[in-house]
Amino acid sequence: MKNFSSLKILSLTVGILTVALCSADAASSPFTHSPPSYLIQINGHVYKERNAHIRRPPASLTKIMTALIVMESCNLDEVVVVSRGAAGETGSRIGLRKGEKLTVRDLLAATLMASANDACRALADHACGNQRNFVLKMNARARALQLRDTRFTNACGHDNAGLYTTAHDLALLTEKAMQKPLFAQLVARKDMRIRTLNSKRSYHIRNKNRLIGRYPGAIGVKTGTTPNAGQCLVAMAEREERKVLLVIMHARNRWWVAPAMLDAAFAAESATIDENPDNTHESNSRRLYEALPEGTLVPD
């Protein structure tokens, strides 16, 4: 009887320990409480993904497309005159004044590093005369890149019912943008100073991507935050012969989950397509999140 009781207690203890160990492993996994949508690529191959084809608002990740089009359409040394619309932009901005003159190159730095809506709008107005024509060009470029679940309604990323993309499409767009030397250079910088050409004013801009200079191997790319989009991030890091691209959408704490997810990708034995149960879709029909009125923004 005593032996039976001892075996029963031993079995129960082993069971408790097993559950505890499993729970600890689950809690330590960066994918246990992963963002609603994410995609991780290793050297161009999908490592893990979740709801990567679900349409969601991208916030200032929109500026990746804006920067790409400007680089394809304008000379980097062209002079931009800040428009009234650009100077009046809301949300994240550096404080440009109507009539100030800056180069395309410097406004791209403010757009990509500081996520400045005033700089971004100034570039859109300069490239196509107004934002409406620029948005037409954005959507045409999206079609050309076969971004089938992407649609733009403004150049900066303001919440709007018609603005959406996916983690999958953002990965494709980022890979294309990173082929531009200036784009890759700017998103990897911690800070810089830009100057106006017709006054003594200058602006010190800092990269809002907290991984730059802090996470080993980080080389970009872009942050984005609005009430509807939540915390978004496209991050890229390189170590030795491995390049990891991470896209996060609608996260609660991107600066906690992003390093852990990147670590997991660098620690992975191989870059194989993820076929685990976590790679799920919310529904067969891609749904678009209900949007807030255009112009509603919080800082990136």
Side-chain angles (χ1 to χ4, degrees):
M1 193 70 179
K2 289 183 179 180
N3 289 338
F4 175 77
S5 298
S6 298
L7 287 173
K8 189 174 181 179
I9 292 172
L10 179 61
S11 177
L12 181 60
T13 302
V14 171
I16 292 172
L17 288 173
T18 301
V19 170
L21 289 171
C22 290
S23 299
D25 289 340
S28 64
S29 170
F31 306 105
T32 303
H33 302 291
S34 59
S37 293
Y38 69 83
L39 175 71
I40 307 175
Q41 291 182 350
I42 302 177
N43 294 340
H45 300 284
V46 175
Y47 167 58
K48 283 186 179 291
E49 63 176 335
R50 181 185 186 191
N51 298 325
H53 292 274
I54 297 295
R55 294 174 176 178
R56 296 183 184 276
S60 286
L61 301 186
T62 299
K63 294 183 176 79
I64 298 174
M65 176 62 88
T66 298
L68 176 62
I69 290 177
V70 170
M71 290 179 180
E72 293 176 340
S73 306
C74 304
N75 185 296
L76 297 177
D77 295 318
E78 286 179 19
V79 177
V80 178
V81 180
V82 177
S83 64
R84 181 186 300 274
E89 272 290 344
T90 58
S92 179
R93 57 199 307 276
I94 59 173
L96 295 176
R97 297 175 181 175
K98 179 181 178 295
E100 285 187 328
K101 297 180 180 180
L102 299 94
T103 64
V104 167
R105 185 190 309 272
D106 283 352
L107 287 175
L108 281 168
T111 297
L112 291 172
M113 296 170 61
S115 199
N117 291 331
D118 45 3
C120 178
R121 176 66 180 275
L123 287 171
D125 289 345
H126 173 78
C128 293
N130 57 64
Q131 182 173 218
R132 182 177 180 180
N133 289 338
F134 189 82
V135 169
L136 293 175
K137 199 163 188 177
M138 294 173 78
N139 287 319
R141 194 69 180 95
R143 290 191 296 271
L145 291 172
Q146 298 185 36
L147 308 182
R148 296 184 175 89
D149 291 295
T150 294
R151 183 174 179 269
F152 298 104
T153 58
N154 60 82
C156 299
H158 295 284
D159 279 334
N160 182 274
L163 172 64
Y164 56 80
T165 187
T166 67
H168 171 268
D169 283 4
L170 283 169
L172 294 175
L173 175 60
T174 300
E175 289 284 7
K176 182 67 176 179
M178 286 293 285
Q179 294 174 13
K180 298 289 183 182
L182 180 62
F183 185 98
Q185 175 189 337
L186 291 175
V187 297
R189 290 192 64 158
K190 287 186 65 176
D191 61 1
M192 66 180 290
R193 183 170 292 278
I194 62 174
R195 292 176 170 79
T196 60
L197 301 175
N198 60 339
S199 72
K200 295 182 179 180
R201 279 167 54 86
S202 66
Y203 302 90
H204 183 225
I205 55 178
R206 294 182 176 86
N207 200 327
K208 291 192 173 183
N209 183 352
R210 297 183 188 177
L211 299 178
I212 301 300
R214 298 177 182 178
Y215 184 83
I219 57 173
V221 173
K222 185 75 188 72
T223 63
T225 308
T226 65
N228 200 35
Q231 296 182 17
C232 302
L233 175 69
V234 177
M236 186 175 286
E238 283 185 324
R239 296 181 192 171
E240 297 178 352
E241 296 181 357
R242 180 169 291 198
K243 181 176 73 174
V244 176
L245 173 64
L246 169 65
V247 181
I248 293 175
M249 302 188 75
H250 208 74
R252 291 184 177 181
N253 191 338
R254 62 190 165 201
W255 304 125
W256 181 82
V257 299
M261 296 175 88
L262 289 168
D263 284 346
F266 280 114
E269 293 184 2
S270 62
T272 56
I273 295 177
D274 179 30
E275 296 178 348
N276 66 40
D278 195 40
N279 181 17
T280 58
H281 293 270
E282 294 177 10
S283 64
N284 291 329
S285 60
R286 295 162 182 164
R287 68 183 176 89
L288 176 64
Y289 270 45
E290 182 181 357
L292 294 173
E294 183 174 0
T296 305
L297 272 178
V298 295
D300 282 327

